[in-house]
Amino acid sequence: NAGVMQNPRHLVRRRGQEARLRCSPMKGHSHVYWYRQLPEEGLKFMVYLQKENIIDESGMPKERFSAEFPKEGPSILRIQQVVRGDSAAYFCASSPGGEDTQYFGPGTRLTVL
Amino acid sequence: DAKTTQPTSMDCAEGRAANLPCNHSTISGNEYVYWYRQIHSQGPQYIIHGLKNNETNEMASLIITEDRKSSTLILPHATLRDTAVYYCIADSNRDDKIIFGKGTRLHILP
Protein backbone atom coordinates (compact mmCIF):
# COMPACT_ATOMS: atom_id res chain seq x y z
CA ASN A 1 0.00 0.00 0.00
CA ALA A 2 1.86 3.04 -1.26
CA GLY A 3 1.95 6.08 0.94
CA VAL A 4 1.45 9.67 -0.06
CA MET A 5 3.61 10.49 -3.06
CA GLN A 6 4.97 13.86 -3.97
CA ASN A 7 6.92 14.93 -7.01
CA PRO A 8 9.26 16.29 -7.78
CA ARG A 9 11.23 15.81 -4.58
CA HIS A 10 13.47 18.73 -5.44
CA LEU A 11 12.60 21.65 -7.68
CA VAL A 12 14.79 24.57 -8.67
CA ARG A 13 13.27 27.64 -10.24
CA ARG A 14 14.51 31.10 -11.13
CA ARG A 15 12.69 34.14 -9.90
CA GLY A 16 9.60 34.81 -11.99
CA GLN A 17 9.10 31.22 -13.13
CA GLU A 18 6.22 28.96 -12.19
CA ALA A 19 6.44 26.01 -9.83
CA ARG A 20 4.05 23.06 -9.95
CA LEU A 21 4.07 20.60 -7.07
CA ARG A 22 2.15 17.35 -7.29
CA CYS A 23 0.66 15.18 -4.60
CA SER A 24 -0.92 11.76 -5.00
CA PRO A 25 -2.84 10.79 -1.86
CA MET A 26 -2.89 7.34 -0.36
CA LYS A 27 -5.24 4.92 -2.04
CA GLY A 28 -8.77 5.48 -0.83
CA HIS A 29 -8.04 8.95 0.54
CA SER A 30 -10.11 11.80 -0.85
CA HIS A 31 -8.88 14.61 1.40
CA VAL A 32 -5.63 16.44 0.72
CA TYR A 33 -3.81 19.06 2.76
CA TRP A 34 -0.81 21.20 1.87
CA TYR A 35 1.67 22.56 4.40
CA ARG A 36 4.75 24.72 4.02
CA GLN A 37 7.90 24.67 6.11
CA LEU A 38 10.22 27.60 5.70
CA PRO A 39 13.89 27.02 6.58
CA GLU A 40 14.35 26.55 10.32
CA GLU A 41 10.65 27.15 10.96
CA GLY A 42 7.62 25.07 11.81
CA LEU A 43 5.00 23.56 9.56
CA LYS A 44 2.22 25.90 8.50
CA PHE A 45 -1.09 24.85 7.03
CA MET A 46 -1.86 26.24 3.58
CA VAL A 47 -4.94 24.63 2.07
CA TYR A 48 -7.34 21.71 2.47
CA LEU A 49 -9.07 20.16 -0.52
CA GLN A 50 -11.48 17.40 -1.29
CA LYS A 51 -12.05 16.14 -4.80
CA GLU A 52 -12.84 19.16 -6.98
CA ASN A 53 -13.43 21.40 -3.96
CA ILE A 54 -11.35 23.76 -1.85
CA ILE A 55 -12.58 23.41 1.71
CA ASP A 56 -10.21 25.72 3.59
CA GLU A 57 -7.59 27.98 2.03
CA SER A 58 -7.06 30.20 5.04
CA GLY A 59 -3.31 29.57 5.01
CA MET A 60 -2.71 30.33 1.37
CA PRO A 61 -0.96 33.57 0.41
CA LYS A 62 -3.45 35.82 -1.34
CA GLU A 63 -1.48 36.14 -4.54
CA ARG A 64 0.46 33.80 -6.82
CA PHE A 65 -0.55 30.59 -5.00
CA SER A 66 -3.33 28.26 -6.09
CA ALA A 67 -4.28 24.65 -5.48
CA GLU A 68 -6.53 22.12 -7.08
CA PHE A 69 -7.54 18.51 -6.63
CA PRO A 70 -9.28 17.37 -9.79
CA LYS A 71 -11.62 14.44 -10.11
CA GLU A 72 -8.85 12.48 -11.77
CA GLY A 73 -5.16 12.81 -11.08
CA PRO A 74 -3.03 14.30 -8.36
CA SER A 75 -3.50 17.46 -6.36
CA ILE A 76 -1.45 20.37 -7.69
CA LEU A 77 -0.02 23.29 -5.76
CA ARG A 78 0.90 26.02 -8.20
CA ILE A 79 3.10 29.00 -7.45
CA GLN A 80 3.30 31.65 -10.11
CA GLN A 81 6.16 34.14 -10.49
CA VAL A 82 8.18 32.59 -7.70
CA VAL A 83 10.30 34.75 -5.42
CA ARG A 84 13.21 33.79 -3.17
CA GLY A 85 10.93 33.82 -0.15
CA ASP A 86 8.99 30.89 -1.63
CA SER A 87 12.00 28.63 -1.06
CA ALA A 88 10.75 26.04 1.39
CA ALA A 89 9.71 22.44 1.86
CA TYR A 90 6.13 21.81 0.80
CA PHE A 91 4.41 18.82 2.33
CA CYS A 92 1.21 17.18 1.30
CA ALA A 93 -0.92 15.02 3.58
CA SER A 94 -3.99 12.93 2.94
CA SER A 95 -6.75 11.40 5.00
CA PRO A 96 -9.62 9.08 4.21
CA GLY A 97 -12.16 11.55 5.42
CA GLY A 98 -14.26 11.45 8.53
CA GLU A 99 -11.27 11.20 10.82
CA ASP A 100 -8.33 13.41 11.54
CA THR A 101 -5.30 11.21 11.10
CA GLN A 102 -3.33 12.74 8.26
CA TYR A 103 -0.51 10.89 6.55
CA PHE A 104 2.27 12.96 5.07
CA GLY A 105 4.33 12.65 1.97
CA PRO A 106 8.11 13.12 1.77
CA GLY A 107 7.81 16.72 0.62
CA THR A 108 9.01 18.83 -2.29
CA ARG A 109 11.94 21.09 -1.62
CA LEU A 110 11.63 24.22 -3.70
CA THR A 111 14.68 26.40 -4.22
CA VAL A 112 14.28 29.74 -5.95
CA LEU A 113 17.46 31.19 -7.38
CA ASP B 1 -7.96 23.67 18.96
CA ALA B 2 -6.50 23.68 22.45
CA LYS B 3 -2.99 25.05 22.96
CA THR B 4 -0.30 22.54 23.89
CA THR B 5 2.95 23.15 25.74
CA GLN B 6 6.04 20.98 25.31
CA PRO B 7 9.65 21.27 26.43
CA THR B 8 11.90 22.69 23.76
CA SER B 9 14.36 19.83 23.83
CA MET B 10 15.18 16.60 25.63
CA ASP B 11 17.97 14.05 25.67
CA CYS B 12 17.60 10.32 26.15
CA ALA B 13 20.16 7.54 26.19
CA GLU B 14 19.89 4.92 23.50
CA GLY B 15 18.03 1.86 24.71
CA ARG B 16 16.22 3.70 27.47
CA ALA B 17 12.60 4.78 27.47
CA ALA B 18 12.00 8.28 26.19
CA ASN B 19 9.15 10.05 27.99
CA LEU B 20 7.92 13.18 26.25
CA PRO B 21 5.47 15.34 28.22
CA CYS B 22 2.75 17.58 26.87
CA ASN B 23 0.42 19.98 28.67
CA HIS B 24 -3.01 20.72 27.22
CA SER B 25 -4.90 22.20 30.15
CA THR B 26 -7.61 23.81 27.99
CA ILE B 27 -8.44 20.69 26.01
CA SER B 28 -12.14 20.23 25.39
CA GLY B 29 -14.09 17.01 25.68
CA ASN B 30 -14.16 16.24 21.98
CA GLU B 31 -10.49 16.91 21.31
CA TYR B 32 -8.07 14.08 20.79
CA VAL B 33 -4.39 14.17 21.66
CA TYR B 34 -2.28 13.45 18.59
CA TRP B 35 1.44 12.89 18.32
CA TYR B 36 3.49 13.29 15.17
CA ARG B 37 7.23 13.41 14.67
CA GLN B 38 9.47 14.86 12.00
CA ILE B 39 12.83 13.30 11.40
CA HIS B 40 15.25 15.72 9.79
CA SER B 41 14.37 16.53 6.16
CA GLN B 42 11.44 14.10 6.11
CA GLY B 43 7.69 14.54 6.18
CA PRO B 44 5.87 14.39 9.51
CA GLN B 45 5.05 10.88 10.65
CA TYR B 46 1.92 9.99 12.56
CA ILE B 47 2.69 8.15 15.81
CA ILE B 48 -0.40 7.72 17.92
CA HIS B 49 -3.53 9.42 19.20
CA GLY B 50 -6.02 9.02 22.02
CA LEU B 51 -9.05 10.59 23.65
CA LYS B 52 -9.30 9.39 27.25
CA ASN B 53 -7.77 5.96 27.56
CA ASN B 54 -4.12 5.10 27.33
CA GLU B 55 -3.11 3.82 23.92
CA THR B 56 -0.31 1.61 22.66
CA ASN B 57 0.83 0.66 19.19
CA GLU B 58 3.96 -0.71 17.61
CA MET B 59 5.70 2.64 17.82
CA ALA B 60 4.80 4.09 21.19
CA SER B 61 2.48 4.37 24.17
CA LEU B 62 0.35 7.36 25.05
CA ILE B 63 -0.55 8.01 28.66
CA ILE B 64 -3.31 10.58 29.23
CA THR B 65 -4.02 11.83 32.75
CA GLU B 66 -7.47 11.31 34.15
CA ASP B 67 -8.30 15.02 33.93
CA ARG B 68 -6.91 15.04 30.36
CA LYS B 69 -4.88 18.15 31.05
CA SER B 70 -1.60 16.49 30.19
CA SER B 71 -0.18 13.45 28.47
CA THR B 72 3.09 11.60 27.96
CA LEU B 73 4.38 9.89 24.86
CA ILE B 74 6.60 6.94 25.66
CA LEU B 75 9.09 5.42 23.24
CA PRO B 76 9.94 2.24 25.15
CA HIS B 77 13.42 1.53 23.78
CA ALA B 78 14.76 4.60 22.06
CA THR B 79 17.17 4.20 19.15
CA LEU B 80 19.28 6.75 17.31
CA ARG B 81 16.65 6.75 14.56
CA ASP B 82 14.14 8.21 17.02
CA THR B 83 16.03 11.51 17.01
CA ALA B 84 13.40 13.93 15.72
CA VAL B 85 11.08 16.80 16.58
CA TYR B 86 7.96 15.47 18.32
CA TYR B 87 4.71 17.38 18.07
CA CYS B 88 1.80 17.07 20.49
CA ILE B 89 -1.48 18.34 19.05
CA ALA B 90 -4.94 18.65 20.55
CA ASP B 91 -7.56 18.43 17.84
CA SER B 92 -11.20 17.50 17.49
CA ASN B 93 -12.00 14.53 15.28
CA ARG B 94 -12.97 16.31 12.11
CA ASP B 95 -11.35 17.02 8.80
CA ASP B 96 -9.34 20.11 9.42
CA LYS B 97 -5.89 21.54 9.41
CA ILE B 98 -3.25 20.48 11.91
CA ILE B 99 -1.75 23.38 13.82
CA PHE B 100 1.83 22.44 14.59
CA GLY B 101 3.61 24.12 17.48
CA LYS B 102 7.35 24.11 18.00
CA GLY B 103 7.43 20.58 19.39
CA THR B 104 10.15 18.88 21.41
CA ARG B 105 13.49 18.22 19.80
CA LEU B 106 14.48 14.77 21.09
CA HIS B 107 18.13 13.78 20.93
CA ILE B 108 18.95 10.11 21.41
CA LEU B 109 22.47 9.80 22.72
CA PRO B 110 24.66 6.78 21.91
Side-chain angles (χ1 to χ4, degrees):
Chain A
N1 183 19
V4 178
M5 293 192 292
Q6 292 187 247
N7 68 80
R9 295 291 306 276
H10 300 274
L11 182 61
V12 179
R13 285 287 178 266
R14 296 190 181 280
R15 280 179 296 170
Q17 292 184 319
E18 178 180 285
R20 281 184 177 242
L21 288 63
R22 294 175 189 78
C23 169
S24 296
M26 288 178 69
K27 187 176 180 181
H29 288 193
S30 58
H31 299 237
V32 165
Y33 312 77
W34 286 92
Y35 294 81
R36 179 167 67 172
Q37 188 168 35
L38 294 167
E40 304 304 320
E41 293 192 15
L43 289 140
K44 302 292 184 189
F45 167 80
M46 298 181 75
V47 63
Y48 161 38
L49 310 101
Q50 294 181 29
K51 285 284 187 180
E52 300 184 279
N53 287 306
I54 296 175
I55 307 301
D56 181 354
E57 56 181 347
S58 58
M60 286 279 269
K62 294 286 185 275
E63 297 177 348
R64 303 186 297 107
F65 284 72
S66 63
E68 62 176 9
F69 189 17
K71 188 176 180 181
E72 301 291 337
S75 175
I76 306 286
L77 179 68
R78 182 182 178 205
I79 311 171
Q80 295 178 289
Q81 300 175 326
V82 296
V83 301
R84 289 218 173 107
D86 297 332
S87 295
Y90 293 82
F91 294 99
C92 165
S94 74
S95 71
E99 60 183 8
D100 217 18
T101 302
Q102 296 178 23
Y103 297 90
F104 285 78
T108 294
R109 276 147 191 83
L110 172 66
T111 301
V112 179
L113 302 177
Chain B
D1 299 339
K3 178 180 167 57
T4 62
T5 304
Q6 300 177 252
T8 303
S9 65
M10 291 181 62
D11 293 337
C12 178
E14 189 179 16
R16 305 296 293 266
N19 297 281
L20 290 88
C22 179
N23 287 323
H24 31 78
S25 58
T26 62
I27 196 169
S28 61
N30 67 340
E31 287 184 314
Y32 287 73
V33 178
Y34 278 79
W35 284 84
Y36 284 82
R37 73 180 181 183
Q38 187 175 24
I39 297 170
H40 182 61
S41 297
Q42 297 183 22
Q45 179 186 23
Y46 165 77
I47 301 173
I48 199 167
H49 74 285
L51 184 63
K52 294 181 182 177
N53 299 323
N54 298 336
E55 302 288 343
T56 295
N57 63 21
E58 65 278 4
M59 288 183 68
S61 294
L62 174 59
I63 308 298
I64 303 174
T65 58
E66 195 169 337
D67 63 8
R68 301 210 328 121
K69 291 186 177 182
S70 65
S71 60
T72 301
L73 178 75
I74 301 173
L75 307 178
H77 304 286
T79 71
L80 297 177
R81 285 177 292 184
D82 292 321
T83 292
V85 179
Y86 287 76
Y87 297 98
C88 169
I89 298 147
D91 199 2
S92 58
N93 189 21
R94 54 189 170 88
D95 295 320
D96 207 340
K97 53 186 172 283
I98 296 174
I99 299 175
F100 287 90
K102 296 187 184 302
T104 295
R105 190 171 294 274
L106 176 67
H107 295 104
I108 305 301
L109 307 174

